């Protein structure tokens, strides 16, 4: 007999999951969890009177007072941060909020600019057939801008996500990329820790030439020479999928649909295709060369 106690404060209760779910013993014995379960309601929370305040912890000062403030009397060596999904509906605020939080924590601890390393949002949701506006892409851009603060670092994860899982399983590679940042910047074991980062663009007729920082080992196309994920637009601000070709440490982008290009976007989507890497196998951070507001 298998007995499970369930506490559900926000849903319909019960057990959820695929029919393939099963328990596996050390000896290899498998016990299926599929099928109908007998159950008994222990206590119905709906019988309680309403709470005097909302049960949602995402309210002003609640998370900070409960989870961060108790730690402030202790010494701190650094921070690893993985968050942002809840802010994709208002990405324009994120850079200011994120920088303000980092500066605030550094002020409260009064230990200088301790390391603050974070994970850029992973890819998620259904992949779009055409280039479209993306709150997730704008949030990643806001995270990238935070690198302007001293002693910060970012691990790109736009190639590690899953379309149907907002909490992707491959945390090992996320941790490895964060470790590369820490080993170089905190422990001074010099090594490559970042994928290519957009530096500048040069318009050349019907093409745009892109330059990058962090091209350690040269630029590489993941999955063959047919690089995907690049889009190009003219003055009309309409983006079309583009052809992208690596030339040394530059990428040349063009499309027959755009004869007078002015801007390029790469991996600019909720769930982008990531094909641009450097020679040490680290992915390029999503970017855009324009600053057009989303309609």
């Amino acid at each position: 007999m298998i007995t499970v106690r369930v506490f559900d404060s926000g849903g319909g209760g019960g057990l959820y999951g695929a029919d393939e779910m099963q328990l596996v013993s050390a000896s290899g014995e498998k016990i299926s969890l599929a099928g109908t379960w007998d159950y008994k309601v222990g206590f119905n929370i709906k019988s309680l009177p309403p709470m005097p305040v909302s049960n949602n912890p995402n309210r002003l000062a609640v998370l900070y007072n409960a989870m961060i403030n108790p730690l402030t009397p202790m010494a701190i060596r650094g921070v690893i941060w993985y968050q942002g999904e809840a802010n994709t509906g208002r990405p324009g605020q994120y850079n200011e909020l994120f920088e303000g939080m980092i500066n605030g924590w550094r002020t409260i601890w009064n230990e200088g600019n301790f390391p603050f390393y974070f994970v850029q949002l992973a890819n998620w949701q259904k992949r779009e057939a055409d280039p479209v506006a993306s709150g997730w892409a704008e949030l990643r851009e806001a995270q990238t801008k935070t690198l302007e603060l001293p002693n910060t670092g970012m691990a790109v994860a736009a190639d590690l996500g899953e379309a149907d899982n907002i909490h992707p399983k491959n945390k090992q590679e996320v941790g490895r990329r964060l470790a590369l940042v820490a080993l170089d910047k905190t422990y001074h074991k010099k090594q490559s820790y970042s994928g290519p980062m957009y530096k500048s663009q040069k318009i050349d007729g019907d093409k745009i030439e892109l330059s990058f920082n962090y091209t350690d080992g040269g630029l590489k196309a993941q999955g063959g020479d047919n690089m995907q994920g690049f889009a190009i637009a003219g003055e009309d601000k309409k983006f079309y999928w583009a052809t992208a070709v690596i030339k040394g440490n530059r990428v040349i982008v063009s499309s027959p649909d755009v004869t007078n290009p002015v801007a390029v976007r790469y991996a600019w989507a909720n769930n982008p295709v990531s094909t641009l890497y450097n020679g040490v196998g680290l992915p390029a951070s999503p970017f855009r060369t324009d600053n057009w507001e989303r309609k």
Side-chain angles (χ1 to χ4, degrees):
M1 176 182 292
I2 299 173
T3 303
V4 179
R5 184 175 184 180
V6 177
F7 177 82
D8 190 342
S9 63
L15 298 173
Y16 302 89
D19 290 341
E20 296 79 19
M21 292 183 64
Q22 57 187 347
L23 294 177
V24 181
S25 69
S27 63
E29 179 187 7
K30 297 180 181 180
I31 303 175
S32 173
L33 299 180
T36 302
W37 288 62
D38 294 327
Y39 73 94
K40 176 182 178 182
V41 177
F43 184 80
N44 189 347
I45 296 178
K46 293 181 180 179
S47 65
L48 294 174
M51 295 184 65
V53 295
S54 168
N55 194 33
N56 187 347
N58 298 318
R59 291 180 288 124
L60 185 65
V62 172
L63 292 175
Y64 174 80
N65 285 331
M67 303 183 72
I68 302 302
N69 189 58
L71 303 177
T72 56
M74 307 175 189
I76 188 169
R77 187 67 177 91
V79 174
I80 295 295
W81 181 262
Y82 192 142
Q83 185 272 340
E85 294 87 347
N87 297 78
T88 54
R90 43 194 173 92
Q93 298 177 348
Y94 196 78
N95 181 241
E96 182 178 0
L97 291 174
F98 196 24
E99 289 191 1
M101 189 194 76
I102 295 172
N103 288 328
W105 287 14
R106 287 173 169 174
T107 298
I108 290 168
W109 257 281
N110 195 28
E111 294 192 24
N113 293 329
F114 53 74
F116 200 107
Y117 303 143
F118 53 92
V119 181
Q120 192 184 56
L121 283 186
N123 48 312
W124 182 56
Q125 297 181 331
K126 180 181 178 181
R127 186 159 286 165
E128 300 286 350
D130 299 304
V132 295
S134 168
W136 281 64
E138 291 183 27
L139 199 289
R140 294 186 189 104
E141 180 181 60
Q143 292 174 313
T144 303
K145 289 180 179 178
T146 305
L147 293 173
E148 297 174 3
L149 289 182
N151 211 9
T152 54
M154 181 177 75
V156 173
D159 61 334
L160 299 177
E162 302 169 31
D164 57 356
N165 186 357
I166 198 171
H167 300 293
K169 299 175 183 178
N170 190 2
K171 295 299 194 300
Q172 182 172 356
E173 179 60 15
V174 172
R176 188 187 76 87
R177 293 177 186 180
L178 284 168
L180 293 176
V181 178
L183 287 170
D184 183 275
K185 297 173 70 70
T186 299
Y187 298 100
H188 309 297
K189 296 183 179 181
K190 293 303 177 184
Q191 60 192 296
S192 300
Y193 63 86
S194 173
M197 300 285 287
Y198 167 71
K199 179 181 179 181
S200 63
Q201 75 167 18
K202 176 183 176 182
I203 299 174
D204 182 13
D206 61 351
K207 299 178 179 61
I208 293 183
E209 177 183 301
L210 303 172
S211 298
F212 298 87
N213 293 318
Y214 301 103
T215 58
D216 309 58
L219 295 177
K220 306 293 181 181
Q222 186 86 341
D225 295 331
N226 182 25
M227 288 210 299
Q228 301 179 52
F230 287 86
I232 195 168
E235 293 287 355
D236 61 358
K237 301 181 182 180
K238 180 174 176 56
F239 281 90
Y240 297 86
W241 292 127
T243 298
V245 179
I246 295 174
K247 292 291 180 79
N249 285 332
R250 299 167 296 147
V251 175
I252 312 301
V253 184
S254 63
S255 169
D257 297 308
V258 182
T259 55
N260 295 295
V262 298
V264 169
R265 293 179 176 180
Y266 168 72
W268 196 262
N270 294 356
N271 186 0
V273 178
S274 296
T275 56
L276 181 61
Y277 288 69
N278 60 17
V280 296
L282 293 173
S285 175
F287 66 89
R288 60 175 172 171
T289 69
D290 65 274
N291 59 359
W292 299 331
E293 292 186 4
R294 179 164 41 129
K295 296 181 179 179

